[in-house]
Amino acid sequence: MNGKIGRVRATSAALIVAAMVTATGCSLNEGGGDTSDAGSGSGEQSGGATLRIGTTTDVENFNPLQSLSKTDSWILNATYPTLLRIDGNAQKVPELAEEYTTEADGSIVVFHLRDDFVWTDGTPVTATDVAFTAQSIMDYQLGNVAAKLTWVENIEVRDEQTVAFHLSEPYAPFAEGVGFWMRIVPEHIFSEAGDLSQFANDSDWVGAGAYVLDSATPGQRYTLKANENYPHAPEGGAAVETVEYVVYPDVNTMILALRNGDIDLMGTPVPVSAVASLEGDENIAIETVESLGFAHLTYNMQHPVLADQAVRQALSMVVDTESIIETILQGDGQQMTGPIAPIFADYDNTELQPYPFDPAGARSLLESAGYADADGDGMFDELQFEVVCDQSNANLTRVAEVVRDSAAEAGIQLNLACIERNTFLSRTREGDYDIDLSQWGVFDNPMDQLRSTYLSSNPGGINYNLVQDPELDALVNDAAVTADPEAFVEKIKGIDAYVHDQALLTPLYVEDFRFAYRGDRFAGFDPSPSDLLGMVTGFSLSQVEQVD
């Protein structure tokens, strides 16, 4: 059975589940440096405009098959195309693929490619590139896409524009998950690189996205040039010929650079505390973008004390989420209970209740679990933890301080380590932390989210809890292959309840993001939900127009 890539809202459970039943296709986690030579204002290059974007972090990894850092993603997503992209309404729409179809009751997923994508060295983009990319990710278990390819038994290149994935069994989110997340790389270049898990890809970039990386000066700037052959650019080509990412030491310095005209766009969202002042600047425009992720506290299950369910539950009871939303977010946020965001309304288990904010109750729970304050200093002897967070997220650094103070009331000592983003990401991935305070960027469907975050055997996933729970594994694996729509939804809700009871994480809130740019210079951005995508997708930048 065939199906076009439709404009299907990611929050529609009915259509996701329908795909499981009919197996038809649907046509969709940064250091400072010297910026003294950043220049002033938005310059004209021969052939088009230059748009400068502020960031607070350097690129950590130029390899598009395994990079996870934010600035990496911004640049690499513009350089390497994906089969599908996500639009402003959280819908999966075509980029490299024209459509996808399914065969054999959903166990074969076929992507049909456009014939007008060309690598910047003149080589056509073909199905061989797609097959090579997927096979390399599976062979080397690269990044979070490896988990999404779990069911692939073999990959068939039928012709230059057709590639078929043969699955061991139907998995409804497969096409949109792989289509959105897998950056396609040039087979004729990457096949010569040897071990792709070690491939730096740090020079001589060849891409087929809207923009292609041209030069990199760590600590200062990263320059991209428009790809004149990008099929989704407006007729006549992108108005922005050059995109420069300029590195700043912190968000406040970046805001000043925007005001002064040294940059044209902040890549990161504006802190809530700065929105009002920027809105009062006639040269600056603010764009509001929805979120597909959420803020949370995650607990390292390999920590001998945090492995105790009672401790995790007590920690959940010292987080006053309602107050955090009211004060730090100034009311602009929605509280979460379990690990499924409210945007997935049909899957969110609304029967669950948040852990109450009750430091005294948390202390009582810990005493009942056998923890003691032997020296009488008001703090439990064994309950001292480090909380790592990303210092570039101004809201979360304030949340960390609030949670630390509340935890002390319950006898729990939290030591804050809000650090540079790439260091933060590295420590999180390596399990070098006790508690992780962070914000997920994009979850495009609940099933892939649960597999990526909680499946202990998940290759290349984001199981930052380091949880190894056979019961949870069984629940996730069972739900993944459930075809009955009602049973599938109930199993997702059951996993939601299990994770909530175990307190593997403390969900905090979902917020909308506000991005600031020089409205006196540029207009026409086409943003996508989340702070990871936001205003800076290659597609969005290619649509930008200069203001006369």
Side-chain angles (χ1 to χ4, degrees):
M1 300 177 68
N2 293 346
K4 295 289 184 180
I5 298 176
R7 300 180 67 80
V8 182
R9 184 156 181 83
T11 57
S12 173
L15 290 179
I16 293 175
V17 173
M20 299 183 68
V21 177
T22 64
T24 60
C26 296
S27 291
L28 192 285
N29 273 334
E30 291 171 354
D34 178 16
T35 59
S36 59
D37 65 340
S40 178
S42 209
E44 280 288 339
Q45 299 282 317
S46 57
T50 295
L51 186 146
R52 296 186 174 94
I53 304 173
T55 181
T56 58
T57 57
D58 271 306
V59 171
E60 183 184 49
N61 189 339
F62 291 100
N63 188 332
L65 301 182
Q66 58 182 357
S67 172
L68 284 174
S69 183
K70 185 173 291 184
T71 303
D72 302 18
S73 294
W74 292 341
I75 291 174
L76 297 175
N77 286 348
T79 300
Y80 299 94
T82 53
L83 294 163
L84 310 175
R85 65 179 182 85
I86 189 169
D87 70 6
N89 295 315
Q91 299 165 358
K92 309 290 178 59
V93 296
E95 187 174 35
L96 175 57
E98 287 187 328
E99 64 176 3
Y100 70 81
T101 59
T102 61
E103 302 168 359
D105 296 326
S107 61
I108 301 176
V109 177
V110 186
F111 286 98
H112 307 270
L113 311 184
R114 296 176 61 118
D115 62 3
D116 52 0
F117 268 80
V118 179
W119 298 109
T120 48
D121 65 358
T123 305
V125 180
T126 70
T128 299
D129 295 308
V130 178
F132 171 81
T133 300
Q135 191 63 56
S136 298
I137 291 171
M138 292 190 294
D139 289 346
Y140 293 100
Q141 294 298 293
L142 300 176
N144 64 354
V145 178
K148 303 179 189 301
L149 295 168
T150 299
W151 284 271
V152 175
E153 292 188 324
N154 63 79
I155 306 170
E156 173 194 3
V157 175
R158 294 182 175 177
D159 57 47
E160 288 195 347
Q161 270 70 55
T162 312
V163 58
F165 291 82
H166 294 251
L167 311 182
S168 58
E169 53 191 321
Y171 179 60
F174 176 83
E176 294 197 348
V178 169
F180 170 62
W181 285 102
M182 187 170 70
R183 304 181 187 112
I184 308 305
V185 301
E187 184 272 344
H188 63 288
I189 291 176
F190 277 60
S191 63
E192 302 296 321
D195 183 350
L196 290 182
S197 68
Q198 303 300 316
F199 181 36
N201 191 40
D202 54 2
S203 63
D204 302 321
W205 298 277
V206 173
Y211 291 83
V212 177
L213 188 58
D214 183 67
S215 65
T217 308
Q220 295 185 28
R221 71 187 65 252
Y222 300 84
T223 303
L224 298 89
K225 295 293 185 179
N227 175 9
E228 63 182 15
N229 294 316
Y230 181 61
H232 296 291
E235 186 176 353
V240 173
E241 168 69 18
T242 303
V243 173
E244 286 185 357
Y245 279 89
V246 184
V247 183
Y248 289 93
D250 53 59
V251 173
N252 290 332
T253 307
M254 194 191 335
I255 292 174
L256 181 60
L258 182 71
R259 289 187 181 279
N260 291 342
D262 295 332
I263 58 174
D264 306 297
L265 167 67
M266 288 177 57
T268 55
V270 178
V272 174
S273 59
V275 170
S277 64
L278 288 176
E279 286 180 330
D281 190 322
E282 64 180 8
N283 295 320
I284 294 174
I286 303 289
E287 184 94 23
T288 299
V289 177
E290 290 184 314
S291 174
L292 289 176
F294 58 90
H296 59 96
L297 286 159
T298 289
Y299 307 111
N300 188 338
M301 294 292 287
Q302 299 305 307
H303 188 288
V305 180
L306 289 170
D308 185 344
Q309 179 185 15
V311 173
R312 301 192 303 274
Q313 290 177 332
L315 283 163
S316 295
M317 295 169 65
V318 302
V319 181
D320 189 354
T321 305
E322 291 184 352
S323 177
I324 287 170
I325 292 173
E326 184 63 29
T327 57
I328 297 176
L329 299 186
Q330 298 182 15
D332 192 12
Q334 182 176 358
Q335 184 173 8
M336 286 186 57
T337 301
I340 303 298
I343 194 169
F344 300 110
D346 294 318
Y347 296 97
D348 186 21
N349 191 336
T350 56
E351 295 182 2
L352 301 179
Q353 297 297 315
Y355 285 91
F357 174 61
D358 186 1
R363 181 182 286 273
S364 178
L365 174 62
L366 292 167
E367 289 172 345
S368 298
Y371 294 93
D373 173 18
D375 58 9
D377 65 353
M379 309 298 286
F380 290 106
D381 301 333
E382 299 176 64
L383 303 184
Q384 181 176 160
F385 309 107
E386 182 184 53
V387 179
V388 297
C389 68
D390 171 12
Q391 69 180 10
S392 71
N393 189 316
N395 290 339
L396 288 184
T397 57
R398 294 179 63 196
V399 169
E401 295 169 353
V402 171
V403 174
R404 175 196 60 197
D405 295 344
S406 297
E409 296 178 31
I412 305 170
Q413 181 173 334
L414 300 181
N415 303 313
L416 306 186
C418 290
I419 51 182
E420 183 270 331
R421 181 173 174 82
N422 283 340
T423 304
F424 163 76
L425 288 173
S426 176
R427 290 189 57 182
T428 302
R429 287 195 297 264
E430 295 168 5
D432 182 20
Y433 74 96
D434 301 335
I435 301 173
D436 159 22
L437 173 60
S438 58
Q439 189 155 311
W440 294 120
V442 176
F443 284 129
D444 58 307
N445 71 74
M447 190 69 257
D448 269 355
Q449 171 191 338
L450 294 172
R451 291 191 73 254
S452 293
T453 50
Y454 298 119
L455 194 63
S456 60
S457 62
N458 191 5
I462 47 178
N463 178 4
Y464 295 157
N465 275 110
L466 303 179
V467 59
Q468 297 182 6
D469 183 340
E471 184 176 353
L472 182 54
D473 286 349
L475 291 171
V476 171
N477 285 327
D478 179 52
V481 297
T482 298
D484 178 76
E486 293 184 2
F488 177 72
V489 171
E490 289 307 308
K491 288 179 179 182
I492 294 295
K493 290 183 177 180
I495 299 170
D496 198 355
Y498 185 89
V499 171
H500 175 65
D501 179 63
Q502 289 293 314
L504 297 180
L505 81 167
T506 301
L508 298 176
Y509 53 77
V510 177
E511 63 174 318
D512 287 342
F513 300 108
R514 291 179 175 84
F515 293 90
Y517 64 97
R518 294 291 301 218
D520 60 332
R521 296 174 178 167
F522 295 101
F525 293 92
D526 194 333
S528 297
S530 87
D531 60 332
L532 183 63
L533 302 173
M535 308 283 280
V536 298
T537 65
F539 179 86
S540 174
L541 296 174
S542 74
Q543 307 304 304
V544 172
E545 301 174 349
Q546 280 190 284
V547 173
D548 294 331

